[in-house]
Amino acid sequence: GLGLAIEAFNDAKSSFPDPSIDYFEVGLLKLDTPPGPGDIANQAKIVGLSSNAQDVSPVSIMRRLDGDIFHTKVDDQPWVIVDIGFGALLDRLEIFRSIADSSGAVLSLEVFGGINKKEFDLIYRHDGREFGANGAPLAFYNSNPDAPIRFLMFRLQKSGAFRLSGIKLYAQTF
């Protein structure tokens, strides 16, 4: 399997004309590490917003320490849609609340998942408890981790502006 592929790659790499260039370092791969959920947030992109209160269109969901990854206007049930980019079995999520958010509307957060942008199933509904103190994320597990997901919709049940400073997604991809 993977060991044979690494061996073939290293053989091919040794035939390059300039062996002093380290094209790829694959010797450090651990073959005994079991596969498991990894953070795939760097692959995901924001593909829809109920409205946009920022001057630039948001794209990345990677956590920002200097601002928000998106900010909607005041909407009735504001939402954002994220495209993971491929199918995944989503295990766990971490939501980072904006330090600029003081409205409390984010405490009505709902998260939905689906294989397309039109049909979503509920993954998580927040219970209204406060979260995000000192930059700590709201971490929760997917209620249906065996269902394949490509798109996520984050929505507030209450009217207000919606803003987050980051999202982490832990999933197995296929």
Side-chain angles (χ1 to χ4, degrees):
L2 183 58
L4 185 58
I6 290 172
E7 184 179 321
F9 181 78
N10 284 331
D11 288 343
K13 185 174 95 169
S14 66
S15 67
F16 279 106
D18 187 353
S20 66
I21 299 173
D22 185 14
Y23 292 96
F24 297 97
E25 179 55 55
V26 295
L28 299 177
L29 288 175
K30 292 184 178 181
L31 299 177
D32 57 349
T33 303
D39 182 8
I40 59 168
N42 63 333
Q43 311 272 332
K45 304 288 182 240
I46 294 173
V47 295
L49 282 169
S50 58
S51 64
N52 192 356
Q54 297 174 317
D55 292 334
V56 294
S57 292
V59 177
S60 174
I61 67 167
M62 298 292 290
R63 184 171 185 207
R64 292 186 52 181
L65 299 175
D66 63 343
D68 300 326
I69 56 171
F70 68 87
H71 180 189
T72 71
K73 297 176 183 177
V74 174
D75 289 333
D76 184 36
Q77 295 189 322
W79 52 266
V80 61
I81 295 179
V82 172
D83 182 356
I84 296 173
F86 40 76
L89 297 176
L90 190 60
D91 181 60
R92 171 170 72 92
L93 296 92
E94 292 180 3
I95 308 295
F96 294 89
R97 185 175 181 174
S98 171
I99 59 172
D101 178 24
S102 61
S103 73
V106 74
L107 301 179
S108 69
L109 175 70
E110 294 178 311
V111 181
F112 301 84
I115 56 173
N116 63 56
K117 288 195 306 189
K118 305 282 186 215
E119 298 175 34
F120 293 98
D121 295 315
L122 182 67
I123 290 175
Y124 175 79
R125 178 174 287 132
H126 191 59
D127 59 12
R129 287 183 293 169
E130 193 63 45
F131 73 90
N134 301 320
L138 169 65
F140 56 91
Y141 286 91
N142 180 1
S143 61
N144 190 4
D146 297 324
I149 292 175
R150 171 155 178 187
F151 294 93
L152 292 165
M153 181 173 64
F154 299 83
R155 182 179 74 188
L156 302 184
Q157 297 175 61
K158 294 183 178 178
S159 178
F162 187 15
R163 57 197 312 165
L164 293 176
S165 65
I167 302 169
K168 286 188 175 183
L169 307 171
Y170 295 91
Q172 289 184 307
T173 60
F174 51 87

